[in-house]
Amino acid sequence: MRVLGIDPGLTRCGMGVVDGMVGRPLTLVDVNVLRTSSGLPVPERLVTIEKGIDAWLDEYRPDAVAVERVFARSDVSTVMGTAQASGIAMVCAARRGLPIALHTPSEVKAAVSGNGRADKAQVGAMVTRILRLDAPPKPADAADALALAITHIWRGGAQSRIDAALAAAGASTGSIPGRVRR
Amino acid sequence: MRVLGIDPGLTRCGMGVVDGMVGRPLTLVDVNVLRTSSGLPVPERLVTIEKGIDAWLDEYRPDAVAVERVFARSDVSTVMGTAQASGIAMVCAARRGLPIALHTPSEVKAAVSGNGRADKAQVGAMVTRILRLDAPPKPADAADALALAITHIWRGGAQSRIDAALAAAGASTGSIPGRVRR
């Protein structure tokens, strides 16, 4: 499966595309950080982010989109822009009927490093190892977006096996396009 | 001028369209509250809000859009959804090149009632009087959206006169489509 991971932000919005499945080596398809100037009005910045995400959805046609879950208790100075950018990311994916998953930063850190409190350097190092890259993706938003995609593939794999087992038992909970799988 | 006021929210998103200009009676064109169920995934709810706003922009073709400015220090349980809905509202307007203004709740209360700390009932009563309605618009989100549109017309009128004076003095600060006018 192919997953687009999005680390939402108004100033820097990380996007990473990863191909793969549980139990096989994962592959980096592309990674980028959308940047918008803090000197521009917020509506213009959000439209730039929407266009950037739409362009990647068109180009890479992922099977699912993983977005970092934003909390109100995050840094107050950036949380509103982050929430707005995450809303745009979800709408871009939902308009296309793609499955959307929200993963918390702790879930992502735990998935890639085994430690829910891992720091940026550890996450970057693990993403580099998992995707067999020559160097950690820079800036951190790029590594975070890839870590989200990796997390989704690994968690989604487990979820798929649970779904299959339930379906075999006659109680399907198959994923529904546009639904958030927690 | 015709203004669409939007009181953003995930559960209830108020939309009110008002026609008029400073110094003349203002006219209610339409008012509605978009509702989305808290039982649905956030991406689906945001797409419903996007469609509702786009439909009104198509139908009423406002000259400007006024959106309530959301603060991170607002109610934590709803602020993330409110921020996401406000982001969608801004993107819908900015995609069409419409001027977008953000007004704080205090600015709106002060504009319609003369008191920046007016309560919901006072705002509803003043909206009823200003638009010569038979009864206050219900729910409060409907009245708030109309109050935003009224505020924009009245403040915009003052801004237009300032712009005209500055232009006459050779220092134009004319509004730019898609720009946030503070």
Side-chain angles (χ1 to χ4, degrees), chain A residues 99-163:
Chain A
I100 300 162
L102 303 180
H103 303 292
T104 67
S106 300
E107 287 168 346
V108 171
K109 289 171 185 173
V112 302
S113 77
N115 172 8
R117 297 183 174 189
D119 61 20
K120 294 274 179 201
Q122 283 175 280
V123 170
M126 285 308 300
V127 165
T128 307
R129 188 180 304 177
I130 293 163
L131 298 178
R132 292 154 290 130
L133 309 178
D134 296 327
K138 294 278 175 63
D141 313 81
D144 286 347
L146 291 170
L148 271 158
I150 293 166
T151 300
H152 188 74
I153 291 171
W154 286 351
R155 297 185 100 199
Q159 190 62 47
S160 300
R161 288 194 297 276
I162 294 166
D163 289 349

Side-chain angles (χ1 to χ4, degrees), chain B residues 87-107:
Chain B
I88 302 305
M90 287 193 271
V91 161
C92 288
R95 275 198 298 245
R96 293 164 192 251
L98 291 172
I100 300 162
L102 303 180
H103 303 292
T104 68
S106 300
E107 287 168 346

